[in-house]
């Protein structure tokens, strides 16, 4: 057996992977234009004539790219989910069904204003919310389902739509990791009643921080706009506040960066898809690991993450952190990813603060997959060249062999 790099052997890879994010003259010029205009925020006008505001341009371009009619930009992806829930009519103490295998923000977006997460387990072979279990979790208090397209893989939107229609519940997509992903040729964010995105530093489209709410329904988009704009009315008077809202507008500077990033998006998406498919081929035969099932209806994957999982039996003797450390020594960035949200004391405590009840959710699949089995390879690997993909696959095989 070849000696692992962590034990002093030769690392599989010594070259770095591409850095993230990438920018150039385009972003620089757009930023300078905004700076010189004096219109830096999401309200007010410019100090120079003929200035074309970047926020509406970006909202339109991004919405179109994601098959949606309307876009409302906000400060981040967490509050985008909060706004979407509120626009859908979810009130404090209402229940929101969501998967536990996601970033904590999916849950905190609800808990921040007293809506209560109800965790429904994921499917073992996709890590996506299990629609059949969703139906069992519906109560008279359920007002929304959040589908999370984890890693970029679209959730089963056909089945979730059927259930949400049957019970007259809103369907919201947390598409923070799924810019560019499609379900049956339609981009995510346009499949539910509302869809939300994040432009935080690590995401596939970024301005450091930022978020967006999409909808095909004008009344929902107008409501989301109002909630994000201190309860103003879209074409109303400046000090007309018909409802209570946050003040969480995106800035023009962010919109400028995002417009620049949009021009790189399609090429990056194609590169990630091509490299992920090569990685699938190369990793498919590796003993001790499994790839997630691909639904043929998921016609495009944005691949924010490349995820795979350790075999269940083998995972009993493999520590994920140890696996990740060994991969790092071989020159391949990977992470051990999320723990199931229902295991967080902070979430259980917050639910208790609002409801007075200590909830115990059992999501055995998400718990086991999160604790023991799932490994992520970050998107920067997918943005590199073919050699980098061969190296990643080789490192997985080499590290895996040390456990067999
Ligand atoms: C990043 C992320 C969010 C939160 O977005 P922020 O912009 O960081 O607030 C929500 N859900 C998921 C699945 C995410 O990956």
């Amino acid at each position: 057996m070849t000696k692992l790099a962590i034990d002093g052997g030769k690392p599989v890879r010594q070259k770095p992977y591409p850095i993230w994010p990438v920018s150039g003259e385009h972003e620089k010029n757009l930023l300078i234009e905004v700076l010189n205009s004096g219109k830096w925020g999401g309200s007010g006008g410019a100090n120079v004539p003929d200035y074309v505001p970047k926020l509406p341009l970006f909202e339109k371009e991004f919405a179109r790219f994601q098959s949606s009619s309307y876009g409302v930009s906000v400060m981040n992806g967490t509050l985008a989910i909060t706004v979407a829930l509120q626009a859908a009519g979810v009130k404090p103490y209402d229940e929101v069904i969501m998967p536990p295998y996601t970033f904590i923000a999916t849950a905190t977006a609800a808990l921040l204003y007293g809506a209560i997460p109800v965790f429904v387990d994921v499917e073992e072979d996709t890590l996506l919310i299990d629609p059949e279990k969703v139906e069992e979790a519906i109560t008279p208090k359920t007002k929304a389902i959040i589908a999370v397209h984890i890693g970029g893989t679209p959730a089963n939107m056909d089945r979730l739509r059927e259930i949400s229609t049957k019970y007259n519940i809103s369907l919201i997509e947390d598409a923070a990791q799924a810019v560019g992903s499609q379900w049956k040729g339609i981009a995510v964010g346009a499949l539910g009643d509302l869809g939300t995105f994040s432009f935080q530093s690590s995401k596939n489209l970024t301005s450091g921080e930022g978020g967006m709410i999409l909808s095909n329904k004008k009344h929902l988009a107008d409501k989301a706009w109002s909630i994000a704009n201190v309860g103003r009315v879209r074409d109303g008077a400046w000090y007309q506040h018909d409802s209570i809202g946050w003040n969480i507008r995106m800035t023009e500077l962010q919109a400028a960066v995002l417009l620049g990033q949009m021009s790189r998006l399609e090429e990056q998406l194609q590169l990630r898809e091509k490299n992920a498919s090569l990685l699938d081929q190369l990793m498919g035969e590796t003993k001790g690991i499994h790839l997630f099932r691909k639904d043929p209806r998921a016609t495009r994957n944005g691949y924010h993450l490349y995820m795979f999982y350790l075999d269940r039996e083998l995972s009993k003797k493999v520590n994920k952190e140890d696996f990740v450390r060994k991969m790092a020594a071989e020159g391949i960035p990977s992470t051990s990813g999320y723990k199931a949200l229902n295991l967080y004391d902070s979430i259980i405590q917050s639910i208790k603060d609002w409801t007075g009840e200590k909830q115990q959710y059992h999501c055995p699949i998400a718990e086991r997959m999160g604790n023991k089995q799932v490994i992520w390879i970050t998107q920067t690997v997918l943005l590199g060249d073919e050699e980098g993909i061969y190296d990643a696959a080789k490192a997985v095989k080499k590290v895996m062999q040390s456990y067999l």
Side-chain angles (χ1 to χ4, degrees), residues 76-78 81 102-103 105-106 148 174 176-177 198 200 203 210 338:
N76 59 54
T78 307
I81 302 169
T102 175
F103 183 49
T106 314
V148 181
D174 177 350
Q177 301 187 2
S198 162
Q200 176 267 347
K203 302 293 156 73
Y338 301 133

Side-chain angles (χ1 to χ4, degrees), residues 21-40:
V22 286
S23 68
E25 284 303 306
H26 194 30
E27 283 83 358
K28 211 179 280 176
N29 292 337
L30 283 157
L31 274 171
I32 288 169
E33 195 195 329
V34 172
L35 211 55
N36 291 340
S37 79
K39 178 167 167 51
W40 297 351

Side-chain angles (χ1 to χ4, degrees), residues 110-331:
L111 284 165
L112 277 169
Y113 79 102
I116 310 300
V118 171
F119 296 110
V120 167
D121 211 352
V122 295
E123 300 171 322
E124 172 144 9
D125 58 355
T126 64
L127 269 193
L128 300 163
I129 195 165
D130 186 337
E132 303 321 313
K133 291 181 186 150
V134 166
E135 201 158 359
E136 291 163 22
I138 291 171
T139 74
K141 286 187 185 168
T142 311
K143 292 289 149 51
I145 301 166
I146 303 182
V148 181
H149 307 306
I150 204 73
T153 308
N156 183 346
M157 293 307 289
D158 284 4
R159 191 71 190 103
L160 290 171
R161 174 48 87 193
E162 267 171 31
I163 296 166
S164 73
T165 304
K166 179 172 167 191
Y167 293 92
N168 195 23
I169 296 167
S170 295
L171 180 57
I172 292 166
E173 295 170 77
D174 177 350
Q177 301 187 2
V179 169
S181 297
Q182 296 183 357
W183 178 258
K184 298 203 292 196
I186 297 170
V188 298
L191 300 151
D193 297 295
L194 297 128
T196 66
F197 292 82
S198 162
F199 308 123
Q200 176 267 347
S201 308
S202 74
K203 302 293 156 73
N204 291 14
L205 187 74
T206 182
S207 51
E209 304 288 348
M212 178 83 85
I213 302 117
L214 297 183
S215 185
N216 279 314
K217 295 175 179 154
K218 186 168 188 302
H219 75 281
L220 290 179
D222 284 348
K223 221 164 147 189
W225 184 91
S226 173
I227 293 163
N229 283 271
V230 277
R232 288 196 172 102
V233 183
R234 243 194 208 276
D235 297 309
W238 186 245
Y239 291 120
Q240 181 186 346
H241 305 277
D242 287 7
S243 61
I244 296 300
W246 313 89
N247 176 14
I248 48 172
R249 289 181 296 270
M250 184 184 273
T251 70
E252 279 281 291
L253 294 147
Q254 286 165 291
V257 172
L258 286 163
L259 273 174
Q261 295 284 298
M262 280 300 286
S263 68
R264 305 168 191 279
L265 184 56
E266 180 57 38
E267 197 183 323
Q268 291 166 344
L269 273 164
Q270 285 181 20
L271 182 59
R272 279 193 211 93
E273 278 194 303
K274 183 172 115 303
N275 279 334
S277 136
L278 177 60
L279 201 44
D280 281 347
Q281 266 179 47
L282 298 173
M283 300 234 313
E285 301 300 310
T286 306
K287 212 170 151 216
I289 65 151
H290 301 286
L291 304 184
F292 287 102
R293 173 169 60 86
K294 290 191 168 49
D295 192 315
R297 292 169 293 182
T299 45
R300 203 164 194 204
N301 191 325
Y303 283 108
H304 177 57
L305 303 164
Y306 184 91
M307 302 192 295
F308 62 95
Y309 60 110
L310 307 176
D311 183 72
R312 186 172 178 180
E313 278 310 305
L314 197 69
S315 73
K316 288 175 186 160
K317 57 174 189 177
V318 179
N319 177 306
K320 286 208 303 181
E321 306 303 332
D322 185 61
F323 187 98
V324 164
R325 268 196 303 275
K326 286 177 175 169
M327 285 285 283
E330 299 298 338

